Amino acid sequence: MRIELKREGGLAFFPGLARPRSVDLDALPPATAEALQREVREARFFEQPATVGGGPTAGADRTSYTVTIEDDGGRRHSVRLVEPVQEPHLRALLGLLQQAEREQRAP
């Protein structure tokens, strides 16, 4: 499974942060990789619409994340998560992805 995370918007937006970052599950500790796979299943990621989250009011400064996942069978799907994301499994998946991405960047 390969996952790509792209951040856009927010108050402290820097264009370099918008660069997509990849999370390779094969390079993660097994417990982290299993937790990510579990949240992908529990969030029913491949059944989610193209955009999830956001509130009743529009806001150009809202942070959004585009998560693209390609599973081992070649199935690929992208979901744009707009803060605040209310769905608990998608919120947990986003948190795990951010943590895994930081861990992979750390020396």
Side-chain angles (χ1 to χ4, degrees):
M1 180 178 292
R2 227 174 128 65
I3 302 174
E4 188 176 278
L5 176 65
K6 182 178 178 184
R7 178 184 172 186
E8 298 174 280
L11 290 175
F13 176 72
F14 297 99
L17 293 176
R19 182 174 47 97
R21 300 182 190 268
S22 295
V23 176
D24 184 359
L25 270 58
D26 291 336
L28 293 173
T32 304
E34 289 173 23
L36 273 169
Q37 290 175 322
R38 184 178 50 251
E39 283 305 329
V40 167
R41 282 191 308 272
E42 291 181 0
R44 305 175 77 154
F45 183 83
F46 288 96
E47 299 170 28
Q48 294 292 330
T51 301
V52 175
T57 59
D61 59 344
R62 286 195 178 166
T63 303
S64 68
Y65 302 88
T66 301
V67 178
T68 301
I69 299 178
E70 183 172 344
D71 68 10
D72 295 335
R75 187 170 51 159
R76 184 177 170 93
H77 185 59
S78 294
V79 177
R80 183 171 174 249
L81 302 172
V82 182
E83 293 286 356
V85 178
Q86 302 294 332
E87 203 286 318
H89 292 293
L90 286 173
R91 176 164 275 311
L93 176 62
L94 181 59
L96 286 170
L97 283 172
Q98 290 171 321
Q99 179 182 349
E101 191 273 325
R102 281 192 300 270
E103 289 175 5
Q104 283 189 339
R105 272 192 291 139

